Amino acid sequence: MVYDAEMLRDFYSSYSAKVEAAREKVGRPLTLAEKILYAHLYNEADRKPFRRGEEYVNFRPDRVAMQDATAQMALLQFMIAGKEAVAVPSTVHCDHLIQAYKGVETDLPVANDTNWEVYDFLKSVAAKYGIGFWKPGAGIIHQVVLENYAFPGGMMVGTDSHTPNAGGLGMVAIGVGGADAVDVMTGMEWELKMPKLIGVRLTGRLSGWASPKDVILKLAGLLTVKGGTNAIIEYFGEGTRSLSATGKATICNMGAEVGATTSLFPYDEEIRKYLCATGREEVARMADGNAAALCADAEVAAHPENYYDRIIEIDLDTLEPYLNGPFTPDAACTISEFAAKVKANGYPQRMEVGLIGSCTNSSYQDLSRAASLARQVKEKGLKMAAQLIINPGSEQVYCTAERDGMMADFKAVGGVIMTNACGPCIGQWKRLTDDNTRPNSIVTSFNRNFAKRADGNPNTHAFVASPEMAMAMAIAGDLCFNPLTDTLLNERGEAVRLDEPTGDTLPRKGFTVDDNGYVAPAADGQALDIQIAPDSQRLQKLEPFAPWDGEDLMDLPLLIKTQGKCTTDHISMAGPWLRFRGHLENISDNMLMGAVNAFNGQTNQVWNCLTGTYEGVSAVAKQYKARGMASVVVAEENYGEGSSREHAAMEPRFLNVRALLVKSFARIHETNLKKQGMLALTFVNKDDYDKVQEHDRISILGLKDMAPGRTLRVRLSHEDGTVEEFDAAHTYNEMQIQWFRAGSALNTIK
């Protein structure tokens, strides 16, 4: 089925002409990313050669996608924007709130019962404002988008950091906060700094145990978690044509782990096949008619060094499987070196759980290759040495895999089939274990492996790999096992080797599904009312934040100076806290509770200047707020790395944190802070971080004259009476400064 067919026809009827006009205006050949970006300018009259990494540009995306955890706050904001319906096709996907515990038969009914209030709210808002709604169990947002909505050359924003998954079909798909989504849904300009371009040339062809996942795992090691910040990763070269569409999506999905704005592949036969297999032959025909505009110009491919800001070469012929981790997705290691790493670092060698699924690796191809290994357990007389958990990507994938016997293959070796949802990948895993603090190791096909993320245990060593490697490690139960070279002893005492995984890219009999879980919006939603109970603990209507009072911030207490990695998981934890994603006051109780205090090395213990004692971060902030006091947070590099959750920006704003002063920001989080009227500042001299003392009073000076490119002045008044000053930089443009002055971007829309 083709959703939003009229929009797609309009898009493809003018796309190539817009690309040609952009090429003429820029005066040189264009990369694929540039073609798509220039074709989506909010005003075509603004077309000019934009400076990458410097100039902000207004865009007009084609659609919006929201998952249930972030959709609540996005739609609560949309409700006060004064619009009757969304301006672009938009969807909500219920995938984050379902806890993985016993299996789909038990877990999905429990989720429907537990989350009924949120699901009813999302469904009613969707019906009223013309938004498509995907029921709980329909699938993981990014897999569902890939199957139904992603299209070559398009531009989409999504309230989830792994929205770039759609780049597997040649789409510029960007993860954003809910306020950004509201901009697009209201028809306003959507602003983005023109990204730099990282070109990744792929040569050769994957074989054996190597998988598309290994491309991005290798790249994560090369770029690190912030190496792609404010850049689009564009893949090119003959190697791209050998990768399946879902394999391409896997690679694009995990571009979020290097901070990339998005990633994308050129349109090719594999993408065409996938469009046709998922019932979108019409989209494939329209893409065929625009094929030249859905890839980089020939001159770019011939001389990429002249068009990309950086070139990286990856040879698929020689690519090894990788296992990245623990505790950060860029700790890359090939399988041939992994055993030595495990022993050298003293990681728990016994591998206890293999987890296959997530938005990154839950396609038919992923399950097919993993199932080929599951069948070898019986064939070779082996036994599973670790627990096995499977999360299919969508109801369509599940039904097709069930028909083709793959679910039976997994169940035959003790695998537990969870709901078509994020589950453990987003911390929604009720793990049965003897000790939830014991050091242990797991291997997942997920994208992130921050401490506590999957199961809440800070000592779970999570390693990210392909589904094939996760399956092989679960069979062996040993992190030091290398399936490419090592053997296992079977029940007869024989040394046997696992055969290389095999599987179909697409189902030979086609996809099948009984009910894909889609609910269309009401034909006329204006008569519908959205009810939120005044005493609800899950949902709370929003009140606009107060505008800036026109004065400098004077003598604010330091709330916390964080040390080391501080992701959005540290700032606003997921897991059990997901239930409060529609209730800003309640979820603010988790603010920065996972961040490490630089002065005592502890989490959720900060000095309270009112009492002279140590208390939880949110508890101290609440006391300051009750006294009419604002506060400041200081942090290190890549602050706000990870998920796009805007709660990590809204909670500090709600608790009267007025400024963040850090060494560097992750892209999405910096934008989220700006949208909520916060001051997002960076040290001009990173060593000034060391000057901040626990009992300081902090002043931020020069706000009346705040202007693009002009630094602000920070004054530290120390407890001993001494004073230090230094400069702080910002990246605000004129519009973003207006957001700060108005109190939030939403206030300017209203």
Side-chain angles (χ1 to χ4, degrees), residues 55 88 91 94 173 184 200 211 329 366 391 408 537 553 603 660 746:
E55 290 188 83
V88 300
T91 51
C94 296
V184 179
V200 179
S211 76
D366 292 326
N391 281 79
Q537 295 301 300
L553 302 180
T603 58
L660 280 293
L746 188 60

Side-chain angles (χ1 to χ4, degrees), residues 253-268:
N253 177 292
M254 251 191 88
E257 272 51 69
V258 299
T261 301
T262 193
S263 305
L264 78 161
F265 279 82
Y267 179 65
D268 62 14

Side-chain angles (χ1 to χ4, degrees), residues 250-329:
T250 290
I251 294 168
C252 292
N253 177 292
M254 251 191 88
E257 272 51 69
V258 299
T261 301
T262 193
S263 305
L264 78 161
F265 279 82
Y267 179 65
D268 62 14
E269 182 60 23
E270 288 297 322
I271 294 176
R272 189 183 196 286
K273 288 178 184 176
Y274 187 79
L275 288 169
C276 293
T278 51
R280 292 174 286 172
E281 293 88 349
E282 182 183 1
V283 179
R285 287 194 296 272
M286 290 187 287
D288 288 343
N290 288 267
L294 294 173
C295 61
D297 285 336
E299 295 89 340
V300 175
H303 302 285
E305 67 279 0
N306 295 332
Y307 302 98
Y308 297 103
D309 297 289
R310 179 179 178 182
I311 304 289
I312 296 173
E313 308 265 355
I314 296 180
D315 180 6
L316 302 182
D317 284 336
T318 60
L319 186 65
E320 275 192 77
Y322 275 73
L323 288 97
N324 286 22
F327 308 129
T328 184

Side-chain angles (χ1 to χ4, degrees), residues 119-140:
Y119 293 151
D120 281 359
F121 167 74
L122 294 175
K123 187 176 180 179
S124 62
V125 175
K128 180 176 180 66
Y129 293 109
I131 300 169
F133 179 79
W134 290 81
K135 296 184 295 186
I140 304 172

